Amino acid sequence: GMTSLSLVENRKDHAEIAVQIGDQAVSNPALKPEEKGNLLYQRGLAKAAIGQTDPASGQTDAAVQDFQEASRLNPKLKAAYT
């Protein structure tokens, strides 16, 4: 997806677009929990790609928050645990 492309091409703007699309998609009330979990996982990957991971800030970073919620909503999503 866009996140993988952003890493290959070293273009954060692709990951930023993926986060924006993910923001819109996860707000859809018709999503099943598993679907929302999958979207949150993908958005978390994009957030990690653009550097929304700062353990030194004292706050749980945005990517980790998405991964945690993804694993809660879809426990079968093993990739969110890694």
Side-chain angles (χ1 to χ4, degrees):
M2 291 282 293
T3 302
S4 297
L5 185 61
S6 75
L7 296 172
V8 169
E9 295 182 343
N10 195 28
R11 292 195 51 192
K12 283 186 174 183
D13 57 321
H14 287 175
E16 290 168 352
I17 292 168
V19 170
Q20 291 171 3
I21 293 168
D23 289 345
Q24 293 172 5
V26 298
S27 66
N28 182 346
L31 289 174
K32 296 176 185 174
E34 297 83 16
E35 294 169 329
K36 187 171 184 177
N38 291 338
L39 286 168
L40 286 167
Y41 172 72
Q42 293 298 321
R43 187 177 72 177
L45 288 175
K47 287 179 177 181
I50 60 175
Q52 290 186 5
T53 55
D54 185 13
S57 71
Q59 298 178 343
T60 305
D61 60 69
V64 170
Q65 289 175 352
D66 278 356
F67 294 143
Q68 289 172 337
E69 184 65 4
S71 63
R72 185 187 72 76
L73 291 170
N74 187 356
K76 295 179 183 177
L77 189 61
K78 296 183 188 326
Y81 293 104
T82 59

